[in-house]
Amino acid sequence: AARRGGELDGADAAEEEASLRALEVQVWLSLDELVDPDAPRGEGASRRLYTDGDVPPELIGLLPPPPAGGWPTAFGMHTLLQGMASRAR
C-alpha cells in the first residue's frame, strides 16, 4: 500500500474502508447464524422470528447501516432493530 507520511493514499484508504465494511457485514451475518443456527438459509429463506430476549438490545444497537445490496431477507437482527426503533417512537 502506498503511504504518504504514514497514511494511506486515497485509493488505498478507500479499498481498506471497503474491505473493513465487508468484514463487518460478514461478522454480523455470522453472529446472526450463531443466535439461530437452525434457521433456514439461502435464497428464499424467510426472516427469522426473533424475540427481544434472543439478542441484547445493546448489541442490536451496534448494528451498522445495511450494506449496499441490503441485508439478506433471512437476516433476523435487522428485524429486531426495526422493532426497537418503532417502539422507541
Side-chain angles (χ1 to χ4, degrees):
R3 294 183 181 267
R4 282 181 288 141
E7 294 183 19
L8 295 174
D9 66 21
D12 287 336
E15 184 179 327
E16 185 173 284
E17 178 72 21
S19 293
L20 287 173
R21 287 186 188 274
L23 285 171
E24 182 179 36
V25 167
Q26 188 56 51
V27 165
W28 282 98
L29 293 173
S30 295
L31 181 59
D32 196 58
E33 289 178 12
L34 284 172
V35 171
D36 190 3
D38 297 325
R41 306 265 181 257
E43 251 345 276
S46 60
R47 286 197 184 272
R48 294 186 205 140
L49 300 174
Y50 285 146
T51 65
D52 289 347
D54 291 331
V55 182
E58 296 85 1
L59 184 61
I60 293 297
L62 297 174
L63 186 66
W71 292 111
T73 303
F75 185 65
M77 289 195 196
H78 186 249
T79 305
L80 282 178
L81 180 64
Q82 290 175 323
M84 284 174 50
S86 69
R87 285 190 301 276
R89 288 182 217 147

